[in-house]
Amino acid sequence: EIVMTQSPATLSVSPGERATLSCRASQSVSDNLAWYQQKPGQAPRLLIYGAFNRATGIPARFSGSGFGTEFTLTIRSLQSEDFAVYYCQQYNNWPPITFGPGTKLDFK
Amino acid sequence: QVQLVQSGAEVKKPGASVKVSCQISEYTLSDLSIHWVRQAPGKGLEWMGGSDPEDGKTVYAQKFQGRVTMTEDTSTDTAYMELNSLRSEDTAVYYCATTLAPLTLNFDYWGQGTLVTVSS
């Protein structure tokens, strides 16, 4: 099973600043890596797939990068609606599909 | 775009079973690969299983093998997830999820979630 880790667990950032979230896989997942945003009481929302492709309707301030075992989600110029929990997910070697434990992005 | 509407919240006793439904609209179920993901209170996302987009076979996470059954009724475009021998640790929100992209397993469509509470 591929284990996904995310850092930091919590990231405190001010609106307008840039946030950089990291995700690491225990073995290579190629570019089969997705990022999700989840707000309280809501289902996850797909942001990035294939490591760097923005999903439909996702603003350009969200960008993904990385390959293999190291991945980054960058959010430029944070908006108030961006404060949420972010999960990475690998779908390269499955079963199982695995998620990271999440990074909570909150107000500084 | 596809819409997934799940059944309502359930309260079950330990040892019981629960069956959660996921009604598909705007698309036919046979064209989709449905997966189930759960989230315990205050915890992260946990994949339970789903259909392989390459061959349509249902694959379960080893953790749930023998205790979960995922089925589909193509006549009503409804997917089901049944979990048996419930214990308190199964208290969670259960989501169905899918994608319209071929041969991939990132999920851009999710149901609203079904809270299952297991309590004596």
Side-chain angles (χ1 to χ4, degrees), chain A residues 3-108:
Chain A
V3 177
M4 308 300 291
T5 56
Q6 292 185 242
S7 61
T10 303
L11 182 61
S12 297
V13 187
S14 299
E17 293 185 338
R18 181 172 70 178
T20 303
L21 288 66
S22 296
C23 173
R24 175 176 291 179
S26 60
Q27 63 189 80
S28 177
V29 299
S30 184
D31 59 357
N32 293 308
L33 189 286
W35 290 93
Y36 297 84
Q37 176 194 69
Q38 189 179 34
K39 297 180 180 179
Q42 296 184 16
R45 174 193 183 196
L46 179 67
L47 299 174
I48 300 288
Y49 64 94
F52 59 86
N53 300 288
R54 272 190 303 277
T56 302
I58 301 303
R61 65 179 182 273
F62 291 90
S63 63
S65 63
F67 186 88
T69 61
E70 303 280 345
F71 299 89
T72 300
L73 174 69
T74 301
I75 312 170
R76 292 185 291 105
S77 189
L78 275 162
Q79 307 293 304
S80 58
E81 61 265 29
D82 300 334
F83 291 92
V85 180
Y86 292 82
Y87 296 95
C88 60
Q89 173 219 353
Q90 73 82 20
Y91 49 98
N92 189 62
N93 287 4
W94 76 288
I97 293 168
T98 50
F99 293 88
T103 290
K104 183 179 181 180
L105 188 60
D106 66 12
F107 281 100
K108 188 172 184 179

Side-chain angles (χ1 to χ4, degrees), chain A residues 32 34 36 38 41-46 48-50 55-56 87 89-91 94-101, chain B residues 35 37 39 43-47 50-53 57 59-62 95 104-108 110-113:
Chain A
N32 293 308
Y36 297 84
Q38 189 179 34
Q42 296 184 16
R45 174 193 183 196
L46 179 67
I48 300 288
Y49 64 94
T56 302
Y87 296 95
Q89 173 219 353
Q90 73 82 20
Y91 49 98
W94 76 288
I97 293 168
T98 50
F99 293 88
Chain B
H35 288 249
V37 175
Q39 186 171 37
K43 303 297 183 181
L45 302 169
E46 181 176 33
W47 178 80
S51 61
D52 188 331
K57 293 183 179 179
V59 180
Y60 301 125
Q62 188 171 11
Y95 294 101
T104 188
L105 291 167
N106 51 79
F107 307 121
D108 41 0
W110 294 69
Q112 83 275 22

